[in-house]
Amino acid sequence: QVQLVESGGGLVQAGGSLRLSCAASRNIFSINVMGWYRQAPEKQRELVARITSGGRVNYADSVQGRFTISRDNAKNAAYLQMNSLKPEDTAVYYCNAFDHGMDFWGKGTLVTVSS
């Protein structure tokens, strides 16, 4: 098992930047995939970005070129750098760890982008 705690959310104007952090309760070196998901009001949770233990990344089309996911195994952490934020990026952002067939989730951090 692993516990995940997100931080870094907040209110930002359109065009601004935020960096989300995900702190894990144990070493993440062996965790297959670390990811970020988001859920906007009245919408389903969707994948934003994910990174494998080997460093392979993929992004949702809507954030490609604006967001960057990374992981620091030495710090047991994952990050999401979000640039050029848009009002439609407003959502609760969740950190996810997919490890040996099991999903683990944080409680989320709210990102609000004002126009």
Side-chain angles (χ1 to χ4, degrees):
Q1 280 204 350
V2 58
Q3 283 76 47
L4 305 170
V5 179
E6 303 93 338
S7 61
L11 174 64
V12 63
Q13 288 189 330
S17 298
L18 283 174
R19 187 190 192 215
L20 304 184
S21 298
C22 172
S25 61
R26 66 166 177 85
N27 191 287
I28 66 169
F29 179 81
S30 62
I31 292 180
N32 303 123
V33 185
M34 297 293 297
W36 288 94
Y37 290 70
R38 67 186 181 187
Q39 187 166 15
E42 300 182 358
K43 292 188 176 182
Q44 289 190 334
R45 191 173 297 189
E46 63 176 1
L47 172 69
V48 176
R50 58 189 174 194
I51 182 168
T52 70
S53 56
R56 182 178 300 176
V57 301
N58 63 286
Y59 298 93
D61 289 344
S62 59
V63 307
Q64 182 76 46
R66 299 188 297 122
F67 291 10
T68 302
I69 189 171
S70 61
R71 62 192 285 172
D72 187 334
N73 293 338
K75 295 184 178 180
N76 300 335
Y79 307 96
L80 185 68
Q81 177 67 43
M82 305 186 295
N83 299 327
S84 302
L85 283 160
K86 304 176 180 179
E88 51 264 43
D89 294 319
T90 295
V92 177
Y93 284 71
Y94 297 91
C95 182
N96 170 270
F98 181 72
D99 187 33
H100 292 89
M102 295 183 65
D103 276 304
F104 301 92
W105 296 93
K107 293 184 178 180
T109 185
L110 176 63
V111 172
T112 304
V113 184
S114 63
S115 56

